[in-house]
Amino acid sequence: METADTCLKVGLAPAILRDEAAPGGTMSIKSTLALTAAIAVTAGLFVAQPAAAAPAPTVVESFEGSAGSTWTSTLGAATVDTKTDRPTAGSGYLRLGYSFAAGNISEVGYSKTPPTVTATVPTSVQVDVKGDGTYNTVYLRLRDATGEIFLYRLDTLNNASWHTVTLDLRTRPDQSTGGNHNGVLDGPVSLFRLNVARNGTQPASGFADLDNLRFVDEGWTQVQSTAEVFSAKADASTTLSFQAGTAGDYTLTIADLQGRQRSWTGSAATPGAVRYVWDGKDSGGTPLSGSIFASVFYDTTRNGMVQAPWILGTPYVTGVSEKSPDDVGSIVGINSFLTTLDDPVTVDAQTRLMETAAVRQAREEFDWNRIEPRQGYFDFAKFDQAVELASARNVEVIGKLVYSARWASSAPSGTADADSVFYPPRNNADFAAYAKTVVNRYKDKVHVWEVWNEPNTSAHWKPQADGTAYGRLLASAYAAIKQADPTSVVLGGSLAGFDDAYMSKVHAAGAANSYDGLSIHTYTDGTPENGTSSVYIEGAKSFLARNGLSNRKVWLTELGWSTCTGVCPTGVSEVDQAKYLERAYTDASARGVAGAFWFSLVEVGNSGSQLDNFGLVETGGRQKPAFAALTRVGQALDGAVGVGSMSPTADGLNYIVNGLDTTTGLGVNMIGGGSAMIQTSSSGHSGTGSMQVDYGFTGSSQGLEIVADKLMSGRPTAVSVWAYGDASNAPIYMKLKDAKGEFFQAKVGQMSAPGWQRQTFYLDGNNPNYDRWGGDGVVDYPLTVSSLYVYRPTTGVQFGRVYFDDLSAHMGTVTRGAVAIGRGKNLQLVYSMSSGLVDVPVQSPTAGLRVGSQVTPLEVAKGPTNNLVRVQLNPDRLVTIESTAVTSPDPAYAGDLVGVVWRGGDRATYTIQIFDSSGAAVRTIASSLNFDAGRRTATWNGRTATGAVAPPGSYVMRLVALGADGRKSVLDTPFTLRSR
């Protein structure tokens, strides 16, 4: 085989193959097709290798067996039957009985999923036909991989003897609809339906006999790519290949959905493999983007011109992304409805929005009723499109297995179709079978599956929520999902808010071990700071811990604020929606959730209703301010792992008001009865001990009060206490008194999963359930910590033991935010509920301000204990500060102490190791240790694990941060040891 021209360097693009009948080295026609698929190619040469001869025709449908169970009427008054008298092959043939009493078309289709031909796209179809002597016409419908349906005329029925009809697929179909609308048969292709249409005044009833339907191809195959996704901007590449089944000329074209493309033309002297290396760019050097479609135009006569070509279409060949794929990912997700969209250009436009905003996860509905509209018949075209176009831009789909198929619903007779899907299935085995089929199809690209949606509401589980019934469904689905993909993550719950009693029923039904993560929806009135979202998150964590399941993560699969105002009492302005979005994602990162998904990317309608206005982009395309906010927080957290909350104030300065390592001066009062005892414990957050509280909330008890009356010096702007919970989810409140006797009280947290957590009263008035009385609302110093309260939880826990330690006062500007580590940087995502210039500590001599994908250098000033950057903080916009970890001294002498300094979040877990220039581990100086927020340090004594002095050379101090969501990120700091 001859070589072709040099290919593109590296990238993703749609591809087209043209063929003609005469060789010669040039193409005689040009493609006029608009392609919607793409292929990746790198710089290289066409290479051909010997291959086998073109395959023989493939029997796609023999029409053996019972036609009545294989085929069903889909349009008009059609009947199907299997006849056994003198078939052309095998033991039977299909008789399509037609009647035009209900219209001029009678059509039949498969009752089960139709078979496909996966190796290539057929060039022709052969079928044996016997008519009834009329001039009515029999048609055939084919369906391609994108769901596009092609209608072809087979023959009139005037010939009452068996004869073979050959349908040349090179001719244009009578009609094509749906799918990607490109008019090209994109493989694999399946037989879809057969119909008879009335011709004028021909008889209104009769029959068409069909037998032995075959696909014929010439051995030319679809295009393949070695890379699923790659980045042209990162100088990556892929190899594209297809099989030339005969000698002939061809053109390979790859294209994206924005219309950019690249083509190669060549000639095949003999059958063989054709390969190109592609850099993801067009001939002008501009990168393609998103999913790449490929087309091969070829003929079987090698004369240098592609004449009367056949076109092999290949959708979803590869993906060209802005960034190279990574293993860290992000918690930033979105609820999208890509599977409901027909047009691939629209789907691609929405995935491009996700890529712009660095959204790494898209929650998508895999609606049972649409996937399996009748039992055993599966239609995946739109779902394939959504998964492929999302993954081409490094967006991982989270699959939502939702609702009942109408044929499987337990809805009473007469229930409206729209309502019937929200009734649970009659038989959980049917749901499990659907789930297994779906997971098995997408297991290479979809790894997280959520079972149902808000089953704890009567809107989505009719006639009323039933935790026991949902638990049984979950258990059945979980077993099926794990059988299809043991590595998958299954999310249970999908709860509106969090409902402890409901989940207890789910467990009691046998589903305690039938989910890997717990998903909840945290819609709330008010702001992210004073709303109920934290109650839901910590309630879910408490439930898991109380049931011995602390290793399972919490997922926020829906959150959001609607911009419906006026008629919607809980609607917010577009400006507030943007503010709340950034702050909610920041809080989610700090709390260690595994994923947070805004509802939704695009508004679901155009009305003024609550539901139609959660979206970040209007249906007409206008981006609301919240989309820019999503981009800022998405880019900040992309490739980063959250390592906890920031210190309550910017400079982190604080002092301990009471170490709570003695009960002297403390008292306990019960509220409404019950009992409690306080005593000193020998273990604590720090120091020599902590205060242990044993409680019994019996009878009408509402909780307990710990009387402190601790006067604080200075002018603290926040007060905190460390609490070690018992998974009861009991609310914790703090009450302060100012110099004029005015009281300030607010909720500071909950007794969540066991482990030390800082609970903070911010004196900016934005804690949940903030209240004041007895004064003018102005804090007059000095302040006194009057009391701590632990209230009776709604979880049913009556008896427990909790701990308090290190009651602390914090000075300076109140700040809120999260710390993250990623992309080799130490990140602080910070905002304040008041506006002003604030000095924020950093540990490195250089720092930058990230806004979206851009980083602007900040001036770093040296303070008494920290380096500082001055930034404008307010509640309107999140500020992301990037810096690095610092080793000191650098260089150091062999055998000396070497320290590393970084900024941490509350109770983050780190492993810190030393590596030499060869990459070998020299010493572990911290293993899975917890650190509090602020300036953190660790020191190496310059010795190896054996105690020997490490020799001079280049080293790396490596911090491996383990986020509460289970992800890891690395922060490397190089340094040098030199000889004395």
Side-chain angles (χ1 to χ4, degrees), residues 69 118 222 257 259 432 460 492 536 542 587 609 664 668 707 749 814:
S69 62
T118 58
Q222 293 175 269
L257 287 161
H460 295 95
Y536 299 144
S542 296
D587 182 69
S609 71
T664 302
V668 60
V707 180
V814 170

Side-chain angles (χ1 to χ4, degrees), residues 650 812-815 832 834-840 849 858 869-874 879:
T813 303
V814 170
T815 51
S832 176
S834 58
S835 299
L837 287 171
V838 179
D839 290 331
V840 178
L849 178 67
L858 289 168
V869 294
R870 181 161 291 180
V871 293
Q872 179 74 40
L873 295 184
N874 55 56
V879 170

Side-chain angles (χ1 to χ4, degrees), residues 29 37 89 142 177 322 426 595 609 634 731 742 752:
I29 66 167
L142 299 179
T177 57
E322 284 290 313
R426 291 186 304 274
S609 71
E742 184 173 7
S752 187

Side-chain angles (χ1 to χ4, degrees), residues 926-975:
S927 181
S928 299
L929 290 184
N930 291 328
F931 292 83
D932 293 345
R935 185 178 188 270
R936 304 273 61 97
T937 62
T939 303
W940 177 45
N941 64 4
R943 296 180 179 273
T944 68
T946 63
V949 174
S954 298
Y955 292 84
V956 168
M957 184 91 72
R958 175 167 295 170
L959 284 77
V960 179
L962 176 63
D965 60 3
R967 294 181 300 127
K968 293 181 180 180
S969 189
V970 174
L971 193 59
D972 281 345
T973 308
F975 65 96

Side-chain angles (χ1 to χ4, degrees), residues 41-326:
V41 182
T42 59
L45 293 177
F46 159 87
V47 179
Q49 298 174 350
T58 301
V59 176
V60 175
E61 178 55 78
S62 65
F63 301 107
E64 304 289 332
S66 174
S69 62
T70 305
W71 293 81
T72 186
S73 176
T74 55
L75 181 65
T79 61
V80 287
D81 192 13
T82 298
K83 298 294 183 180
T84 59
D85 56 309
R86 303 181 64 186
T88 63
S91 60
Y93 61 90
L94 179 139
R95 171 158 291 181
L96 191 167
Y98 62 86
S99 171
F100 301 131
N104 287 331
I105 296 177
S106 289
E107 186 170 71
V108 297
Y110 280 100
S111 57
K112 304 292 184 182
T113 307
T116 59
V117 175
T118 58
T120 185
V121 175
T123 55
S124 63
V125 176
Q126 295 175 355
V127 60
D128 300 333
V129 178
K130 182 174 65 173
D132 58 2
T134 71
Y135 279 87
N136 291 319
T137 306
V138 62
Y139 288 84
L140 169 132
R141 290 184 188 267
L142 299 179
R143 196 170 196 253
D144 76 2
T146 72
E148 189 168 6
I149 298 170
F150 299 78
L151 176 68
Y152 296 95
R153 179 184 180 277
L154 282 178
D155 203 1
T156 59
L157 298 177
N158 63 305
N159 190 339
S161 301
W162 283 114
H163 58 287
T164 297
V165 175
T166 298
L167 173 63
D168 187 354
L169 297 179
R170 288 179 174 84
T171 61
R172 288 200 171 272
D174 292 77
Q175 183 185 63
S176 65
T177 57
N180 61 10
H181 316 290
N182 70 351
V184 175
L185 279 167
D186 297 298
V189 174
S190 64
L191 173 61
F192 185 55
R193 291 180 182 173
L194 299 163
N195 73 48
V196 176
R198 191 171 192 178
N199 236 340
T201 59
Q202 287 297 298
S205 63
F207 65 87
D209 294 338
L210 300 103
D211 198 8
N212 197 27
L213 189 146
R214 292 92 73 194
F215 280 180
V216 181
D217 68 74
E218 294 165 335
W220 291 68
T221 63
Q222 293 175 269
V223 179
Q224 295 181 327
S225 168
T226 55
E228 287 189 5
V229 181
F230 69 98
S231 174
K233 293 183 178 180
D235 295 326
S237 64
T238 189
T239 298
L240 305 174
S241 64
F242 61 89
Q243 188 80 18
T246 64
D249 302 310
Y250 65 85
T251 294
L252 167 65
T253 299
I254 53 177
D256 64 17
L257 287 161
Q258 291 82 58
R260 293 180 291 265
Q261 65 181 51
R262 174 66 194 264
S263 296
W264 296 265
T265 297
S267 293
T270 61
V274 180
R275 295 188 181 90
Y276 287 92
V277 178
W278 180 51
D279 64 357
K281 301 174 184 176
D282 64 17
S283 57
T286 301
L288 280 69
S289 71
S291 187
I292 305 301
F293 286 62
S295 296
V296 178
F297 293 73
Y298 78 90
D299 62 24
T300 56
T301 305
R302 183 172 174 269
N303 63 359
M305 298 181 294
V306 178
Q307 297 172 317
W310 176 232
I311 307 171
L312 285 172
T314 309
Y316 325 128
V317 172
T318 187
V320 180
S321 59
E322 284 290 313
K323 298 179 181 178
S324 297
D326 65 60

Side-chain angles (χ1 to χ4, degrees), residues 421-586:
V421 295
F422 297 114
Y423 284 80
R426 291 186 304 274
N427 187 345
N428 288 338
D430 290 333
F431 186 90
Y434 136 77
K436 181 179 178 180
T437 301
V438 172
V439 173
N440 190 62
R441 184 177 184 88
Y442 297 107
K443 62 186 176 185
D444 291 337
K445 292 192 174 182
V446 181
H447 307 292
V448 181
W449 297 96
E450 189 175 24
V451 179
W452 213 266
N453 179 63
E454 298 190 353
N456 62 326
T457 68
S458 58
H460 295 95
W461 191 283
K462 293 182 178 296
Q464 61 185 13
D466 186 335
T468 300
Y470 173 70
R472 291 169 181 157
L473 177 80
L474 178 61
S476 181
Y478 183 85
I481 293 168
K482 291 295 185 176
Q483 188 175 3
D485 181 10
T487 66
S488 63
V489 174
V490 179
L491 304 183
S494 191
L495 304 176
F498 179 72
D499 190 330
D500 195 286
Y502 182 90
M503 281 304 298
S504 294
K505 292 179 180 178
V506 172
H507 277 214
N513 293 315
S514 295
Y515 62 98
D516 306 310
L518 181 55
S519 58
I520 61 174
H521 301 165
T522 56
Y523 298 106
T524 181
D525 297 343
T527 70
E529 295 77 24
N530 63 28
T532 55
S533 60
S534 63
V535 178
Y536 299 144
I537 296 170
E538 298 307 320
K541 289 181 180 179
S542 296
F543 176 83
L544 291 173
R546 200 163 61 251
N547 286 277
L549 304 173
S550 294
N551 60 317
R552 298 184 189 175
K553 308 306 177 187
V554 175
W555 296 65
L556 311 186
T557 51
E558 287 185 27
L559 72 149
W561 282 261
S562 173
T563 55
C564 166
T565 55
V567 298
C568 301
T570 59
V572 300
S573 69
E574 289 191 358
V575 171
D576 282 344
Q577 184 190 49
K579 296 179 192 177
Y580 296 170
L581 182 148
E582 282 190 293
R583 285 149 48 184
Y585 274 107
T586 301

Side-chain angles (χ1 to χ4, degrees), residues 346-377:
T346 303
V347 176
D348 184 66
Q350 293 194 14
T351 61
R352 192 161 65 250
L353 288 172
M354 297 180 206
E355 186 175 42
T356 298
V359 168
R360 299 297 293 273
Q361 303 175 93
R363 182 175 179 246
E364 282 289 332
E365 288 192 351
F366 287 73
D367 180 3
W368 185 12
N369 190 58
R370 292 175 57 224
I371 287 177
E372 192 181 9
R374 54 183 180 269
Q375 189 169 19
Y377 184 94

